Amino acid sequence: MAKSKQSKMEKERLDEVIGRNIRTERQARNLSRDELAEMLDLTTSHMGLIERGERGATAVTLSRLTKVLQLPIDNFFSSPPALSLREERSTGRAASHKKIASLTANMTDAELSFIIQVIQAMTKMTVAKEEK
């Protein structure tokens, strides 16, 4: 295979991997494509092209993604291994933890303290219901 054709195929493959990883991280945070596009100063259709691997993400876009999603840049370049059924179930919980972390990342100490109190109160209500 000619070198230029091979390079083009490798680029397309990398664009697909990056796009899939972006979509996975966006969905893990329960963000819509519109919301993420707005955070990155992109149009929704451009965001869709990137997620489908039809257009490559620029260095600027990747830099913004690392800040918005609070992830190291190398997270976007690796192909995730296939998950077992058990891992798939735990991924939902991990996604919830990531969502909470991303939502609380820029909160003040007072706001975080309030959120912790709310969670503790909800936990006590759940335990009380289970004891009945």
Side-chain angles (χ1 to χ4, degrees):
M1 184 181 312
K3 182 146 176 101
S4 63
K5 192 171 185 178
Q6 183 179 8
S7 295
K8 184 177 180 184
M9 288 176 64
E10 288 171 359
K11 181 187 179 312
E12 288 171 358
R13 168 95 173 99
L14 182 58
D15 289 343
E16 291 171 8
V17 169
I18 292 170
R20 183 177 50 249
N21 289 338
I22 291 170
R23 180 184 306 116
T24 299
E25 292 297 337
R26 174 181 61 77
Q27 291 172 338
R29 289 163 174 72
N30 292 324
L31 292 170
S32 70
R33 187 176 290 150
D34 291 337
E35 291 169 325
L36 183 57
E38 186 176 326
M39 291 175 185
L40 299 173
D41 197 28
L42 299 173
T43 65
T44 303
S45 61
H46 187 93
M47 189 77 244
L49 290 170
I50 292 172
E51 285 188 355
R52 290 189 301 275
E54 296 173 16
R55 179 160 300 160
T58 65
V60 171
T61 298
L62 288 171
S63 175
R64 288 178 184 162
L65 275 164
T66 62
K67 291 177 182 134
V68 167
L69 300 178
Q70 298 179 331
L71 291 171
I73 196 162
D74 60 322
N75 279 36
F76 300 110
F77 293 93
S78 60
S79 294
L83 298 177
S84 68
L85 183 58
R86 183 176 181 191
E87 290 171 321
E88 285 179 15
R89 288 183 185 139
S90 68
T91 301
R93 189 169 186 89
S96 295
H97 288 234
K98 284 183 179 180
K99 172 80 172 176
I100 291 168
S102 68
L103 291 171
T104 58
N106 296 321
M107 289 186 173
T108 65
D109 288 342
E111 291 168 330
L112 284 172
S113 177
F114 175 75
I115 294 297
I116 290 168
Q117 290 173 3
V118 169
I119 292 170
Q120 288 171 334
M122 291 175 69
T123 303
K124 288 177 185 174
M125 289 187 328
T126 303
V127 169
K129 284 181 184 178
E130 290 174 358
E131 290 176 352
K132 287 183 180 181

